[in-house]
Amino acid sequence: MLTALRRKIRFGMQRTVLIAVLLAVGIFSYAFLNLKFCFKLMSHRSLNLMCQKFEKHEYSGSLCEELCGSQSSFDNFQCPLNDMKTILFTAEKNGDLYAVKLARHNDDELSWTNNKGESIYPKIEEFHEIVKLHIILAYNVTLDDNMIRALVNQEIADDNSQQMVSFWRLFKDNNYMMGKLFDEESIFPAVLGSCGPYYATEGLQIVQSNPSIMQYLASNRVQRLKHALNIMEYIFRLDEMKPEPLKMCKMQVNRFGTASERRLKYQSAEHVYVESQLDKRLSRGIKCHAHQDCHFHSCRGLCDEEKQACTHIQQNNNFQIFCEHILLGGGTFQPGLLSGVRLSKALQQLVRMCVQPPKEHQVPGRQWAPNTQLALRLYNELKQLHQVAAAASAGSEVPDEGLARRGV
């Protein structure tokens, strides 16, 4: 009888745990399906914290006043459709979509300690010089004093160390800085304002969602080929950036989107670097036993077998990453844009050469980087295939339109 009682208690506990787990899964599933409920459950706390810091004068910036003021014109607060690692929530203002993000925390202290143990912060003019030096070292971009003041927006109150620290966090965030420094080139979402370490960018209309096995059943190859061409044009733009090219160490098809002007942009610049800084990062001499030890996400380094150290610059480039991760994808369950598309032997060969370029088609000093000539050949072949596919798709619709005109 005692055994039966124990069994009944154990079964009761298991059933309670199972119900609790199913309830939790149901709540989170509903949260992700209902983006407004998701915001109330997961992201509303961030907005409250931002406004509390603003009221205490610890945060400053134009976004504080817009989001926290009594006459706020923002509405339709939601969780993001994708990229929840970067975007906290989205909101609309006058029909425009804003994506609110939080700068990454950094351990680079802005203050120093005097002999009394007190934290000393730089004066505002000194802070401008610190920001200016950081931009030169990290991005190889030199800004004059007026541009630095415009970047800081003169929103830091005198002797307010908390506001200065939160702005320093912004300037150490690669995603924020890329958006500010390359705003005129329109390659990343435009930064629309900030509030302490929080900032808002324009929301993008994502062109291609997460790839899945259902892609093989979809009849959207014309759209996928067009998207591939647009991404290649985007990469050509990155290679033409001044003062030096930009390199993407993460490239995902569901991060490309368009804003109001319909120009293609990449949703997050978190893993985008100027060429010289990426080369320094990959060749800084860390210990290695294989080439993979020197890689940084999709950017490939090279291990010196004698020194057992990473001493070489980046060995691939944006086009190699594009061909491997965007065109080919990661296999059956992560198809690329060309998965399920019938390719000529010449085009198949060009894609293979792009992923593993032969010596005559390599960028000098970068053994896995296809050169511009190879990239242009691939672009032209893809463009021709797209034109043929588009013509065939349009031709297949003509009879139906003709029947409709005849009233059949």
Side-chain angles (χ1 to χ4, degrees), residues 39-56 59 67-68 77 88-89 100 195 198:
F39 168 77
K40 293 177 182 178
L41 181 69
M42 302 176 68
S43 304
H44 194 258
R45 183 182 175 187
S46 297
L47 180 59
N48 286 340
L49 176 63
M50 181 198 307
C51 295
Q52 288 171 9
K53 295 281 188 179
F54 173 58
E55 290 173 4
K56 295 177 182 178
Y59 288 172
L67 280 173
C68 305
F77 290 85
L88 295 175
F89 59 87
V100 177
C195 177
Y198 296 86

Side-chain angles (χ1 to χ4, degrees), residues 74-94:
F74 281 93
D75 58 14
N76 197 23
F77 290 85
Q78 297 186 6
C79 281
L81 282 169
N82 70 344
D83 200 13
M84 294 187 73
K85 290 182 180 179
T86 305
I87 302 173
L88 295 175
F89 59 87
T90 63
E92 291 185 13
K93 178 185 176 184
N94 301 325

Side-chain angles (χ1 to χ4, degrees), residues 171-190:
F171 297 135
K172 294 289 288 184
D173 184 79
N174 194 57
N175 200 19
Y176 174 82
M177 287 305 301
M178 283 287 183
K180 294 292 284 187
L181 293 174
F182 296 96
D183 178 60
E184 293 184 3
E185 286 77 6
S186 296
I187 51 178
F188 305 117

